[in-house]
Amino acid sequence: MAITLKSPSEIAIMKKANEIVVKALNAVEKNIKPGISTYELDSICEATIRENGGDPTFKGYKGFPSALCISLNEEVVHGIPSKKRRIKDGDIVSIDTGCRFEGLCGDSARTIPVGKVSEKVQKLLEVTEQCLYAAIDNCRAGKRLGDVSNAIQTLAEEHGYGIVIDFVGHGIGRSPHEEPQVSNMGEKSSGILLQPGLVIAIEPMVNLGTGNVKVLNDKWTVVTKDRKLSAHFEHSVAVTDGDPIVLSENIFK
Ligand code: MG
Ligand code: MG
């Protein structure tokens, strides 16, 4: 499938789709506390998306049952909400959701610490988010996709973290996943040339141990092979003539 560039009016709608995503993530984050089930958090996510006029894109996607992916601790991405799974003090909780609004999609994720976590864990979260912003800073016309990937790789490796390469970011638009794939590792000045109108979801998945992962028997949940902790941050970003637009920036803080 070819890459489709988005018009300014499409990007404006994608901004609205992402605002709904941000509202949903904020509502979930506010309710993340010890004792709540991941199922309840999914219900909050779905209700917030629907109340704001969006359709949850994850629900039913290739058979995924929920609006929210919720991945705890050594889980990297694609964790399935469950009535039996409850949040505990000291967990790190990755929340990832997407929605469609007026035919266009938004997608964003963040990792939330519950209560007090060690400095080592706090650092993992901070650096993973910094990797995302380093990548975003490279989303400029004239740069190449490899510059975006390389920014993540360079910063994560500087801190000795493992980088997940089995799962990647992606183009986004009328479909939740479009070309191009956006790897979290790559060579500078390689890959496609970035042009105004390109919209990509960039999503570093960064591990305390190695970057190796496996999929659990539920066919969805991705965990680190060494069962060490993993963090995940994601924004949908539009390339323009000037600075990149972070469509899923949290403007409601
Ligand atoms: Mg996502
Ligand atoms: Mg995504």
Side-chain angles (χ1 to χ4, degrees), residues 173-245:
R174 300 212 171 261
S175 300
H177 294 121
E178 298 184 353
E179 291 295 321
Q181 291 199 346
V182 182
S183 177
N184 292 317
M185 213 179 244
E187 297 279 325
K188 267 188 191 171
S189 307
S190 73
I192 62 153
L193 198 58
L194 304 185
Q195 297 178 63
L198 179 71
V199 184
I200 50 176
I202 305 169
E203 42 185 317
M205 294 153 237
V206 177
N207 303 344
L208 270 187
T210 74
N212 298 330
V213 297
K214 61 176 263 185
V215 180
L216 295 183
N217 288 337
D218 66 13
K219 304 257 184 4
W220 280 105
T221 312
V222 178
V223 296
T224 55
K225 259 193 182 156
D226 58 15
R227 298 298 202 268
K228 292 187 177 171
L229 297 182
S230 182
H232 179 213
F233 285 82
E234 176 182 28
H235 275 311
S236 297
V237 180
V239 178
T240 73
D241 288 326
D243 289 335
I245 305 171

Side-chain angles (χ1 to χ4, degrees), residues 131 149-159 163 184 186 188:
C131 286
S149 304
N150 184 265
I152 296 169
Q153 179 181 356
T154 301
L155 186 56
E157 285 181 345
E158 240 174 66
H159 290 268
I163 302 162
N184 292 317
K188 267 188 191 171

Side-chain angles (χ1 to χ4, degrees), residues 58 69 78 95-98 106-109 170 177 201 203 232 234:
F58 292 11
C69 289
H78 304 166
I95 52 175
D96 184 359
T97 195
D107 189 356
S108 182
H170 48 90
H177 294 121
E203 42 185 317
H232 179 213
E234 176 182 28

Side-chain angles (χ1 to χ4, degrees), residues 96-184:
D96 184 359
T97 195
C99 83
R100 188 180 269 107
F101 177 77
E102 293 182 1
L104 287 150
C105 297
D107 189 356
S108 182
R110 57 180 90 146
T111 301
I112 314 295
V114 184
K116 204 164 166 48
V117 298
S118 70
E119 246 171 65
K120 194 168 112 177
V121 175
Q122 190 60 44
K123 189 80 186 165
L124 173 72
L125 304 190
E126 280 169 22
V127 171
T128 306
E129 190 170 18
Q130 285 163 7
C131 286
L132 173 56
Y133 278 91
I136 290 168
D137 194 45
N138 278 274
C139 290
R140 295 173 188 279
K143 290 223 172 216
R144 291 186 178 271
L145 195 58
D147 295 313
V148 175
S149 304
N150 184 265
I152 296 169
Q153 179 181 356
T154 301
L155 186 56
E157 285 181 345
E158 240 174 66
H159 290 268
Y161 296 141
I163 302 162
V164 176
I165 54 166
D166 291 3
F167 294 84
V168 294
H170 48 90
I172 181 167
R174 300 212 171 261
S175 300
H177 294 121
E178 298 184 353
E179 291 295 321
Q181 291 199 346
V182 182
S183 177
N184 292 317

Side-chain angles (χ1 to χ4, degrees), residues 17-135:
N18 276 289
E19 282 173 13
I20 298 171
V21 166
V22 170
K23 282 181 183 171
L25 291 178
N26 286 354
V28 171
E29 180 173 350
K30 209 174 80 188
N31 284 281
I32 290 180
K33 47 187 86 118
I36 194 164
S37 73
T38 57
Y39 176 88
E40 289 169 278
L41 293 169
D42 174 59
S43 304
I44 292 165
C45 178
E46 181 169 351
T48 309
I49 290 173
R50 294 197 189 282
E51 278 160 20
N52 284 279
D55 272 320
T57 45
F58 292 11
K59 196 166 182 164
Y61 185 84
K62 295 183 179 171
F64 191 78
S66 310
L68 179 70
C69 289
I70 183 156
S71 311
L72 274 54
N73 303 322
E74 77 281 4
E75 296 168 358
V76 180
V77 286
H78 304 166
I80 302 172
S82 161
K83 286 181 181 168
K84 289 185 224 151
R85 194 84 187 273
R86 291 186 184 278
I87 301 295
K88 294 194 299 288
D89 197 35
D91 280 343
I92 59 169
V93 182
S94 296
I95 52 175
D96 184 359
T97 195
C99 83
R100 188 180 269 107
F101 177 77
E102 293 182 1
L104 287 150
C105 297
D107 189 356
S108 182
R110 57 180 90 146
T111 301
I112 314 295
V114 184
K116 204 164 166 48
V117 298
S118 70
E119 246 171 65
K120 194 168 112 177
V121 175
Q122 190 60 44
K123 189 80 186 165
L124 173 72
L125 304 190
E126 280 169 22
V127 171
T128 306
E129 190 170 18
Q130 285 163 7
C131 286
L132 173 56
Y133 278 91

